[in-house]
């Protein structure tokens, strides 16, 4: 299944699963579920202990589910009163699984780098994430690394190697190709983000590092491989890059330059493809 790695990145982000400083009472958990609507349309809990769920899968199938829930000693249980099969159904790429036959704890402080708060499945140890975004500049932990949450995009000013941790000693990550927003693409395996790219940032490290005389944090960013059959449908990876050659911009304020990207790609020894009016590769 495409994008299965997005679920792996969730596991990388999990830090201190049971880290909330104060255990919530059953009444507090219910209040959060009912009044904050933490799971959006995917799970709407009501004060009368009923819930509804309305969502569409990536394949286009629509689901509307009704049921009841109970909270006892911090454990949340769901009952599907309309007998709709919903076992291990993936609601969205980011939310994860919600199995009605399982029991859950609500973890308000746990985050996956994008959302904060989740239902933790006590049986299969999976997570069903809220749709509450982490506040900007909130300090989170990524595999034990303290970092500020970032909501901006970043412009890449030099070809930068992608690594599995925030260090020059980190393993260089290889990703199969890349789709650019300007309708260009790379099919070969790459080890870098290219000069001229604008990429979504997830977080930046609290601590800085000085490399080649430049002091800056490391950025944790999202990258997607090139899928030759489904554009922008390749597997998603999350990698570290040194922040000495990047600049933050509000989302959609900075755009990629295809000519600059072409030069950057070719400088890395790779071939750059770009759509033209005749839909030919050049």
């Amino acid at each position: 299944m495409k994008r299965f790695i997005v679920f792996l990145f969730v596991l990388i982000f999990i830090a201190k699963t049971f880290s909330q400083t104060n255990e919530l009472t059953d009444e507090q958990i219910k209040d959060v579920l009912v009044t904050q609507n933490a799971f959006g349309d995917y799970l709407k809990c009501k004060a009368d202990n009923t819930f509804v769920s309305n969502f569409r899968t990536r394949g286009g199938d629509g689901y509307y589910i009704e049921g009841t829930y109970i909270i006892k000693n911090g454990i949340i249980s769901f009952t599907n009163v309309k007998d709709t099969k919903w076992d291990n159904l993936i609601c969205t790429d980011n939310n994860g699984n919600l199995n009605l036959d399982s029991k859950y704890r609500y973890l308000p402080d746990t985050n996956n780098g994008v959302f904060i708060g989740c239902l933790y499945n006590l049986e299969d140890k999976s997570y069903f994430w809220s749709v509450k975004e982490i506040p900007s500049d909130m300090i989170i932990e990524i595999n034990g690394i303290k970092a500020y949450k970032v909501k901006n995009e970043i412009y890449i000013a030099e070809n930068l190697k992608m690594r599995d941790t925030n260090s020059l000693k980190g393993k260089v990550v290889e990703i199969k190709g890349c789709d650019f927003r300007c309708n260009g693409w790379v099919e070969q395996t790459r080890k870098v983000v290219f000069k001229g790219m604008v990429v979504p940032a997830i977080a930046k490290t609290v601590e800085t590092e000085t490399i080649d005389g430049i002091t800056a944090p490391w950025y944790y960013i999202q990258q997607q491989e090139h899928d030759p059959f489904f554009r922008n449908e390749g597997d998603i990876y999350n990698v570290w890059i040194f922040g000495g050659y990047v600049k933050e911009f509000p989302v959609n304020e900075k755009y990629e330059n295809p000519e600059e990207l072409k030069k950057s790609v070719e400088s890395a020894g790779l071939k750059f493809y770009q759509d033209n009016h005749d839909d030919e590769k050049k």
Side-chain angles (χ1 to χ4, degrees), residues 22-157:
N22 297 309
E23 189 75 18
L24 297 180
T25 66
D26 293 351
E27 292 76 15
Q28 289 173 324
I29 294 173
K30 182 175 181 178
D31 182 66
V32 170
L33 296 179
V34 172
T35 64
Q36 295 187 19
N37 192 24
F39 298 92
D41 289 337
Y42 304 119
L43 180 64
K44 291 183 176 179
C45 294
K46 301 180 181 181
D48 63 357
N49 287 93
T50 62
F51 75 88
V52 296
S53 180
N54 187 9
F55 66 95
R56 188 172 298 276
T57 66
R58 285 202 301 132
D61 296 326
Y63 290 86
Y64 179 81
I65 300 168
E66 297 179 6
T68 61
Y69 70 94
I70 60 173
I71 305 173
K72 185 176 182 179
N73 297 326
I75 307 298
I76 308 169
S77 302
F78 297 95
T79 301
N80 188 348
V81 298
K82 290 205 170 183
D83 297 325
T84 303
K85 292 182 179 180
W86 198 24
D87 293 349
N88 294 315
L89 186 61
I90 298 175
C91 297
T92 69
D93 286 337
N94 288 327
N95 280 72
N97 300 335
L98 183 62
N99 185 341
L100 292 175
D101 293 329
S102 296
K103 297 183 183 299
Y104 290 85
R105 283 191 180 276
Y106 176 64
L107 307 179
D109 299 327
T110 303
N111 72 83
N112 66 355
V114 180
F115 302 116
I116 185 167
C118 69
L119 294 179
Y120 175 70
N121 191 318
L122 295 173
E123 296 179 12
D124 65 15
K125 314 302 182 185
S126 64
Y127 298 82
F128 184 71
W129 294 98
S130 78
V131 294
K132 182 179 180 181
E133 293 188 358
I134 298 173
S136 296
D137 294 327
M138 174 180 171
I139 296 180
I140 60 177
E141 286 195 11
I142 303 171
N143 200 26
I145 301 167
K146 290 187 177 182
Y148 295 109
K149 173 62 184 172
V150 174
K151 289 191 176 180
N152 291 333
E153 294 180 317
I154 56 174
Y155 171 77
I156 308 299

Side-chain angles (χ1 to χ4, degrees), residues 217-230:
W218 285 75
Y219 279 81
Y220 197 64
I221 66 170
Q222 185 179 93
Q223 284 291 280
Q224 191 169 35
E225 69 177 12
H226 168 77
D227 188 312
F229 301 104
F230 302 99

